[in-house]
Amino acid sequence: MRGDKGYDLLDFDMLGLAPTLNDALKRAGFTEPTPIQNQAIPLAMQGHDILGLAQTGTGKTLAFGLPLIDTLLAQPGKPAPKTAKALILAPTRELVNQIADSLRVLTDGSKIRVTTVVGGQSIGRQINLLSRGTDILVATPGRLIDLMDRRAVDLRSVCHLVLDEADQMLDMGFIHALRKIAPQLGTPRQTMLFSATMPKQMEELSRAYLDNPRRVQVSPPGKAADKVTQSVHFLEKPAKQSKLREILSRDTDALTLVFARTKHGAEKLMKGLVADGYNAASIHGNKSQGQRDRAIKAFRDGTITVLVATDVAARGIDIPGVAYVVNYELPEVPDNYVHRIGRTARAGREGEAISFCAAEEVDRLHQIQKLMKIEVPVASGTMPKFVAEEKSKGRSGGQRNRGRGYGGGGGGANNASKPGGNAKRRRPRRSHAA
């Protein structure tokens, strides 16, 4: 059967996967490939390098995981001590664990061994695990370099490299780590790069590490999931707390993910919610890996219903039941907005993304709308009068607005949605503890 995009629509059992892998898919409840899987898997199984562009929640893990596992199942022999046959790099601990969990469901009972290495966990235990060798190594770049420096891992046998959420790795400064890791890998090798957005640096990255790649794309870069309903509330900073509580009180049983900009801000916000009787927890860079894992598990189980997070969690939470994403503070990097709101409306469900915009955040909103090529509907409030006046003169008022309050009238909801401004992106410093 042909899809409306011109490619063949296949069932998993039509892809030529190993019988044991097809059986594992059925046990896990996977019946039909998603569009990104339909396009990427046949090409990857033919040995091509892949440049995959798809929004979060579209099934990218299986798009690279299935052909990878299928290839490794056909290879004889066990990995030698300290070696790996395939390497998957991801920017955060949560995403590494999520990828590994998905792959282990499919490799359970087979000879394929999946090993993770991330910061925040015992490096001694990770050295011990790697001493036995592994088929698939899933890692954050920083911890992997720590292990390379200790000569605990030998990457010369790696013939398959996957870069997942590569755009976020660029934002987090991991390009320097990648330049150190790549020369240590085996050749020839197959490389698959997956990303939700396509900044200029991504083109440069693909040219540097991919050989004549096949490009697969199921949605325009920077586009949110179709079933996410978006809205923005214009309000002053002090009013954000009461607005958040108003939203949370509408459906106290719904899973709500709240994004704050800083670690301190996320922790303070969470403690305030707990004090007011909300079932809340937080995850951010100051939390240990164990604390982060327990918070995500409790959120997934519904033990807690409100999870406050920094962007460290924007791509590390794959929970289909998240009903609401609240951007308590807008991100400084516009791409992160797409990844934040991609935490809802997953696996075909509907979801709602609600943003709060204070005066000093208006320029960030403009940049987000420019990236997404949409106007986010205004749910309440109006753009500050002085911002509207600056825009009517053809100037961005972003730098003039900091710390000033909202005026009445003159701005209107329509003005609030017009892209503009020249906010500079600040790239977070890379930490080996990622």
Side-chain angles (χ1 to χ4, degrees), residues 276-292:
D276 287 347
Y278 291 94
N279 250 345
S282 65
I283 57 171
H284 49 72
N286 284 348
K287 296 282 188 177
S288 70
Q289 186 61 44
Q291 289 174 316
R292 287 156 67 165

Side-chain angles (χ1 to χ4, degrees), residues 5 19 51 53 98 108 110 174 182 216 227 268 286 323 348 396 420:
K5 300 297 183 183
L51 173 58
L53 299 174
Q98 176 186 306
D108 184 38
S110 76
F174 283 132
V216 294
K227 294 189 177 183
K268 183 178 179 181
N286 284 348
S396 169

